[in-house]
Amino acid sequence: MIHPKVRSRLRSALAASCAILCLAGAAAPAPLAAQEGAAAVQDVTILDVMLPLGGTLLRAPKLTASGTRLSKDELAAILKSDSSEPWEARLARLDAGSLTIPVLSSEHAGPGDDRQTVTYRDVVARDVKAGRVGELTAAGATVSAVTGPNRGYGTYGRVRATDLDLAALNRLYTVPGDGKGPVQKVYGTIQVSDVTYSDARGTTVKIAHLNGRDLGGRQIPDGWNGAFEIFAAGFQGPNDRRTFAASAADLIEATALGSLDMQGLSVSNTDPQGPVLFEIERATYAAGSESGTVLENMTVSRGSLRAHLGRLALSNVSLAPTVEALRKAAAGSENRPGFSDAEMRSLTPALGGMTLIDLSIDLPLDAEPPKAAPQDPRPATRGPAPGRPGSAKPTEGKIAEAKPADAKAPDAKAGDPLAVTITPPPTRRIALREAALSFGPPQDGVPTASRLTLTGLSLPAELVAGAPIIGALPAYGYRELDLDVVADAALDGKARDLSLRDVTVTGREIGTVRLTGTLGGIGPELFNGTLPAATMLMFSGSAKSLDLTIENAGLFERFLTAQSKDLSLKPDELRKEYVTASLLGVPVILGNTAAAKGIGAAMGQFVMKPGKLVLHAKSKEPAGIGFIDIGAARSPAALLDRLDVEAKAN
């Protein structure tokens, strides 16, 4: 679902853009036959132009057509608000070198109590010929929404568009179609600068520059005006889920955009718990063979919490699964509002891959109670003594000028007890050099394959304190963790198998753990996050095979040193005890079978010379060992009897 405020902003922006285009559309070219009837090229001015376009009313107190062969009456007839003649036919008769509109306002009502007015300054349409406008500009605009829940105010800087096809714009917005016709390009380029909008909730959005290219679309059953009205209203009023889903699918399939480049985006919010600032230096989108979205230099800050991402790239994004799910909902018999969790999951677009570069998160340290200022050992004075060398002179009733905040303080002398050094508050940093995530084709909204790679993940070891297994690392002398992670898995929905092709974690001066295997009885429903599916997994899931590899790169030695100190033993003495426990104790715990003795022998060899330990286990039963059987097993020996196990070290 789209948030009401977002829906309102989207429709308002489109209405604002169309306001310029539609009124400039009054400047479509005239055929040769119409030109022959005009006396001569002239300038014509008409006053008080009003054009109702659906829920939007356009007003122009003054409009001047320069370089036109139309008379004043002919121009007024083309722009007549209650004309029964179709817009496309009227546009075909209009020819002008330029159209000038000092003030153009667009008043839009809805949804609900919302009312918005966009006022443009110095609108000029140039080179209006053959149903097209060569260039359309506006010096700026103001946006005002004074009623309704989405109240706000904003401004635009200069607006410029080129190669406008006004007849195509009219057809898309007002003439219904089947949604299967050819794409009709509305404009070649559009540029908007210095956009600012603030709402009553304390959110401010700013965009320095916005550039688009090759925007167009197809005609759809409700027309774009009708579809936007349905989409903006959501499930309110007469709309049901089928109507909403059909209109949303129509709009998604009908819209065509060649490229988009946005620079200097910032969103700030005056949250009661602290202001939030979100910034993107640049965001680009391109369609076609080089389709993809790239975000550069993203920053989120709130107090001393700050996160920065150098680059985020999304590739091979497809809305085809979203449209398919909407079409299915539109054809269904259910008339309830909203979508279920399963339907929302199926609405997820397909994503081929995602790449992150240079991520950093600065976390504030836990607040400490303020410390009392140290006492000055020198006797206190009420002020400088008159005539004392180096004492300040009295101000003689004048107020001393305050130095600017960024003024450089004089260098403090070494050993001066009054010297003050201001340092930024300390933080803890999490950093990631690079991350790559790729997906296979989705099935029921779940990718059939995925691969995640994290390179250069660093974080303070204290952040993992208390976590299972890895939480012990701070006790072994690790202050910073430097990790690389790989997770590669594939889901076979038909066989209901999840293949863990590669799950590897490597830590600098720690070691490597690698896991591969196959789990059975797992389907897409596992990933919907609902309790019944997770519960059923315990009854349907099974373990078919498992391969575990452990490589030591310094962790075992640190563990041995820490344990030796706790037990007051020498490291070599403790090592021998662990070897004995591995060779004798582990087999006893595991049932003293041949497999148990093999595991114990491999562990003993690893303890003597910590290098690599490999464990391979495979179920003797093709369906695997059920998770519920593993949880209910009376002893490890009962499980080992159902496995083929092989263990070796170094």
Side-chain angles (χ1 to χ4, degrees):
M1 290 295 296
I2 304 298
H3 190 278
K5 183 167 70 174
V6 177
R7 291 199 304 265
S8 176
R9 299 288 183 274
L10 175 63
R11 186 176 62 177
S12 299
L14 290 167
S17 300
C18 295
I20 298 181
L21 301 180
C22 290
L23 192 54
L32 181 60
Q35 295 180 20
E36 291 174 350
V41 174
Q42 59 185 328
D43 292 352
V44 176
T45 298
I46 58 176
L47 305 177
D48 299 325
V49 177
M50 294 178 57
L51 296 177
L53 299 173
T56 300
L57 177 64
L58 304 182
R59 297 176 182 268
K62 180 180 179 181
L63 182 150
T64 299
S66 301
T68 181
R69 296 180 182 276
L70 293 171
S71 67
K72 183 175 182 179
D73 290 340
E74 290 172 329
L75 181 60
I78 292 174
L79 299 177
K80 189 177 180 181
S81 61
D82 57 353
S83 175
S84 60
E85 186 178 9
W87 258 111
E88 194 162 352
R90 285 187 277 167
L91 292 177
R93 298 200 309 271
L94 192 61
D95 178 18
S98 67
L99 288 177
T100 302
I101 308 171
V103 178
L104 170 65
S105 65
S106 167
E107 302 172 4
H108 186 86
D113 296 330
D114 286 338
R115 298 292 184 272
Q116 185 182 76
T117 300
V118 183
T119 303
Y120 298 89
R121 306 186 314 275
D122 301 330
V123 178
V124 180
R126 300 178 179 86
D127 191 19
V128 183
K129 295 179 180 179
R132 297 176 180 274
V133 174
E135 181 186 48
L136 178 67
T137 61
T142 59
V143 184
S144 177
V146 296
T147 62
N150 297 312
R151 300 187 307 276
Y153 179 83
T155 59
Y156 295 166
R158 177 176 170 79
V159 179
R160 180 178 182 269
T162 63
D163 298 331
L164 309 180
D165 188 335
L166 301 169
L169 177 69
N170 175 71
R171 287 192 296 271
L172 290 178
Y173 274 82
T174 63
V175 182
D178 60 6
K180 299 178 181 179
V183 172
Q184 303 177 50
K185 187 167 75 171
V186 174
Y187 66 71
T189 65
I190 186 168
Q191 298 94 36
V192 184
S193 62
D194 300 325
V195 178
T196 300
Y197 190 88
S198 300
D199 65 16
R201 299 176 179 87
T203 300
T204 299
V205 178
K206 295 182 179 181
I207 301 175
H209 301 284
L210 180 65
N211 301 319
R213 182 178 297 275
D214 297 334
L215 176 66
R218 297 180 174 87
Q219 294 171 249
I220 55 180
D222 294 307
W224 282 36
N225 271 337
F228 275 122
E229 290 293 333
I230 295 172
F231 188 74
F235 298 113
Q236 301 174 3
N239 289 354
D240 57 23
R241 57 184 268 114
R242 292 169 296 186
T243 303
F244 176 86
S247 295
D250 288 340
L251 281 173
I252 293 173
E253 282 194 312
T255 303
L257 175 62
S259 65
L260 185 68
D261 186 345
M262 179 173 59
Q263 300 177 32
L265 169 66
S266 69
V267 181
S268 59
N269 194 310
T270 56
D271 191 282
Q273 298 181 358
V276 179
L277 176 62
F278 172 70
E279 298 174 295
I280 299 179
E281 183 179 291
R282 185 176 186 184
T284 58
Y285 164 81
S289 58
E290 299 181 357
S291 64
T293 301
V294 177
L295 308 178
E296 300 178 16
N297 290 326
M298 301 171 56
T299 302
V300 180
S301 57
R302 182 175 186 174
S304 56
L305 171 64
R306 185 177 185 273
H308 177 265
L309 178 60
R311 178 184 173 91
L312 169 64
L314 306 176
S315 61
N316 299 323
V317 180
S318 173
L319 293 174
T322 305
V323 172
E324 182 181 355
L326 289 171
R327 295 292 185 204
K328 185 177 179 180
S333 58
E334 291 186 271
N335 198 23
R336 57 178 173 80
F339 296 97
S340 65
D341 291 341
E343 288 173 325
M344 289 299 295
R345 190 174 68 251
S346 65
L347 290 172
T348 305
L351 175 62
M354 178 174 67
T355 303
L356 289 78
I357 297 177
D358 292 335
L359 170 66
S360 64
I361 303 174
D362 292 326
L363 302 173
L365 294 175
D366 295 335
E368 297 181 358
K371 298 180 180 180
Q375 297 294 326
D376 187 356
R378 295 174 295 182
T381 60
R382 297 183 181 274
R388 179 180 298 170
S391 62
K393 296 181 179 180
T395 59
E396 298 181 357
K398 297 182 180 180
I399 300 177
E401 295 184 359
K403 295 183 178 180
D406 58 351
K408 185 176 180 181
D411 294 336
K413 297 180 180 180
D416 186 350
L418 297 182
V420 177
T421 301
I422 300 176
T423 58
T427 60
R428 296 172 293 179
R429 168 164 290 195
I430 300 174
L432 177 63
R433 188 163 61 250
E434 183 175 355
L437 181 61
S438 60
F439 300 98
Q443 178 181 350
D444 295 332
V446 178
T448 54
S450 61
R451 180 179 176 85
L452 170 67
T453 303
L454 305 180
T455 304
L457 173 61
S458 62
L459 68 159
E462 63 184 42
L463 292 181
V464 301
I469 303 177
I470 196 173
L473 291 177
Y476 303 144
Y478 293 99
R479 296 294 173 261
E480 294 287 333
L481 304 182
D482 191 343
L483 309 173
D484 293 336
V485 179
V486 175
D488 190 341
L491 179 65
D492 186 337
K494 185 176 181 180
R496 299 183 62 79
D497 281 348
L498 177 64
S499 298
L500 304 177
R501 298 185 292 199
D502 185 7
V503 179
T504 302
V505 179
T506 301
R508 181 171 56 89
E509 297 183 2
I510 297 175
T512 299
V513 176
R514 184 172 186 268
L515 178 68
T516 62
T518 302
L519 305 179
I522 296 179
E525 70 278 358
L526 170 66
F527 303 94
N528 65 9
T530 60
L531 181 60
T535 302
M536 288 302 297
L537 179 64
M538 283 299 299
F539 295 93
S540 62
S542 63
K544 293 186 174 181
S545 66
L546 177 69
D547 288 280
L548 175 66
T549 301
I550 299 175
E551 295 185 52
N552 175 58
L555 173 59
F556 188 82
E557 287 78 7
R558 293 196 183 204
F559 165 77
L560 203 63
T561 300
Q563 291 295 308
S564 299
K565 292 180 180 179
D566 291 342
L567 299 175
S568 300
L569 293 173
K570 294 180 179 180
D572 288 342
E573 294 175 344
L574 184 58
R575 186 190 302 270
K576 292 178 181 179
E577 290 194 9
Y578 282 148
V579 170
T580 302
S582 300
L583 295 175
L584 301 179
V586 170
V588 172
I589 295 173
L590 298 180
N592 218 19
T593 62
K597 293 178 181 178
I599 295 174
M603 291 180 62
Q605 187 176 357
F606 177 82
V607 172
M608 282 296 297
K609 186 180 179 181
K612 179 188 292 187
L613 176 64
V614 179
L615 175 66
H616 170 74
K618 183 177 181 181
S619 171
K620 296 178 181 178
E621 305 161 26
I625 303 176
F627 293 158
I628 192 170
D629 294 335
I630 296 175
R634 297 188 307 272
S635 65
L639 293 177
L640 284 178
D641 287 341
R642 302 172 63 180
L643 296 171
D644 289 326
V645 179
E646 180 183 356
K648 59 182 179 180
N650 302 322

